[in-house]
Amino acid sequence: MQIEVLKSKIHRAVITEANLNYVGSLTIDEDLMEAANMIEHEKITIVNVNNGERLETYIIKGKRGSGTMCLNGPAARKGAVGDVIIVISYATMDFEKAKTFTPWVVFPKEGNRL
């Protein structure tokens, strides 16, 4: 049996930009992506702590060390600069493997720094 489990999480990052005039996605600082074992174009769920919004989109790689967390396209309507978000990705794996799997969890500091 295969199940979907938490693979990676960036917990309580802060939105730094919202760009409505873009194709759509979330731009994430490459340092945060690497620490959370996330890759460009990976499907993610964004949970906005400030307003309760949840949405699915994908990752665009942002400039390393920039602290960027930018909502793009329609996602820009789901949050505002300064809102706290949780970025989640999932993986499908064998049920028995899932019992021992440990997800990558990143807790950014001020400025979305590691």
Side-chain angles (χ1 to χ4, degrees):
M1 173 181 12
Q2 298 282 304
I3 64 169
E4 196 169 13
V5 298
L6 173 68
K7 179 188 80 71
S8 305
K9 178 168 74 165
I10 301 173
H11 191 77
R12 298 186 65 85
V14 176
I15 297 173
T16 60
E17 302 171 57
N19 182 356
L20 186 59
N21 297 312
Y22 194 82
V23 178
S25 62
L26 178 69
T27 303
I28 302 176
D29 177 328
E30 190 174 5
D31 284 341
L32 290 173
M33 289 174 56
E34 204 169 80
N37 198 34
M38 293 176 169
I39 61 171
E40 189 165 36
H41 306 121
E42 183 172 356
K43 180 180 176 181
I44 55 171
T45 299
I46 302 169
V47 181
N48 188 320
V49 174
N50 292 74
N51 64 19
E53 291 282 356
R54 297 177 72 92
L55 67 118
E56 288 184 342
T57 189
Y58 62 93
I59 298 170
I60 290 181
K61 186 178 355 180
K63 182 179 176 195
R64 186 179 293 279
S66 65
T68 298
M69 198 61 67
C70 179
L71 291 173
N72 297 303
R77 298 244 188 239
K78 301 292 186 178
V81 172
D83 282 0
V84 175
I85 59 173
I86 301 167
V87 182
I88 305 164
S89 70
Y90 303 92
T92 301
M93 65 182 67
D94 178 75
F95 182 76
E96 291 304 317
K97 177 167 176 57
K99 289 179 180 180
T100 60
F101 177 75
T102 303
W104 290 266
V105 180
V106 175
F107 298 92
K109 302 204 182 323
E110 188 174 333
N112 293 331
R113 305 286 192 244
L114 294 175

